[in-house]
Amino acid sequence: MSDRLREQIEEQIATGQLPPGSALDEVALATQFGVSRTPVREALIQLTAEGLVELRPRRGAVVASVGPARLLEMFEVMAELEAMCARLAARRMSESEQAELLAAHRACEAARGDPDAYFYCNERFHNAIYAGSHNGFLAEEAAALQRRLRPYRRLQLRVRDRMANSFAEHEAVVAALQAGDAAAAANALRRHVSVQGERFGDLVASLQALDHAA
């Protein structure tokens, strides 16, 4: 029960229904999901361990807010983890795993124009690369940080032209993986995940707009 609740609350955080700084009242959540407070409390503890929720004195549980400097650090680490996944996947992906990657890539193409649909197809694309690395520990670490960055990766897709650029970047990753070029795959995925310069400025501006709207 607590695991299902964690997934449901995490989804609301990722999709912006619960933006950074939102209070997470145990009674309200228990009523919303039709459960007792105990599994809600357990779910919030799990989300706190993941870094998506903070426990603040006198405020209780709130959706975690990440400052720009910290966010940049997290994306830097995410870019390196994914680059490692791509480097290994270029050498280790099976034919069936490559087929899944291509299916996810085609799904991203079909979803362009719909940020929410693209968000889920994009997750499928990246998860296919994690699996293709055939390094369970690396895949777990990449997935854990991906979960923590989900609200921000989703927000990026609402920046003008980001979906089109993201898909073009995916094309470079797919080509390198199909060619078995480990260095090119790692570099392509690193560039895709990194948020530097204008991209980072756009992301911070979107976060500020979200804060003002809240």
Side-chain angles (χ1 to χ4, degrees):
M1 177 70 74
S2 62
D3 287 339
R4 287 200 303 274
L5 280 172
R6 176 191 57 76
E7 291 174 0
Q8 290 173 306
I9 297 170
E10 180 184 302
E11 197 63 25
Q12 291 189 358
I13 293 172
T15 56
Q17 295 178 59
L18 291 170
S22 299
L24 298 170
D25 181 75
E26 289 183 8
V27 175
L29 289 170
T31 300
Q32 178 184 348
F33 294 111
V35 297
S36 69
R37 292 178 63 180
T38 298
V40 171
R41 188 176 302 114
E42 292 172 352
L44 292 178
I45 290 171
Q46 292 178 41
L47 290 167
T48 300
E50 290 180 5
L52 287 172
V53 168
E54 296 175 355
L55 294 176
R56 297 181 179 176
R58 296 182 297 279
R59 285 195 63 189
V62 298
V63 178
S65 298
V66 180
R70 185 68 165 178
L71 191 59
L72 179 57
E73 292 173 347
M74 292 167 71
F75 269 104
E76 285 178 343
V77 174
M78 187 81 255
E80 293 304 319
L81 287 176
E82 297 220 14
M84 290 174 65
C85 287
R87 184 181 298 111
L88 295 176
R91 300 198 301 264
R92 300 177 177 178
M93 284 188 99
S94 66
E95 288 186 5
S96 62
E97 288 167 338
Q98 286 203 8
E100 164 58 16
L101 178 69
L102 286 172
H105 187 47
R106 286 193 293 268
C108 285
E109 183 176 24
R112 284 187 299 175
D114 183 341
D116 292 327
Y118 190 94
F119 170 69
Y120 293 111
C121 295
N122 183 60
E123 284 195 328
R124 179 184 173 188
F125 179 86
H126 286 267
N127 286 333
I129 298 172
Y130 302 165
S133 74
H134 289 256
N135 183 314
F137 179 77
L138 176 60
E140 288 168 9
E141 293 299 303
L145 186 51
Q146 183 199 56
R147 283 196 300 273
R148 191 167 178 187
L149 284 170
R150 284 184 85 211
Y152 308 101
R153 294 182 80 154
R154 174 183 175 274
L155 197 57
Q156 278 192 90
L157 297 174
R158 297 187 177 276
V159 172
R160 185 176 180 180
D161 296 329
R162 181 57 203 146
M163 275 185 291
N165 291 334
S166 171
F167 182 77
E169 292 160 10
H170 282 188
E171 292 259 271
V173 173
V174 170
L177 288 172
Q178 288 184 316
D181 189 332
N187 289 333
L189 197 53
R190 183 184 293 109
R191 287 193 299 270
H192 172 60
V193 176
S194 295
V195 285
Q196 304 284 348
E198 290 182 358
R199 278 184 59 189
F200 187 65
D202 289 340
L203 177 58
V204 171
S206 298
L207 282 171
Q208 291 171 340
L210 189 64
D211 287 340
H212 292 323

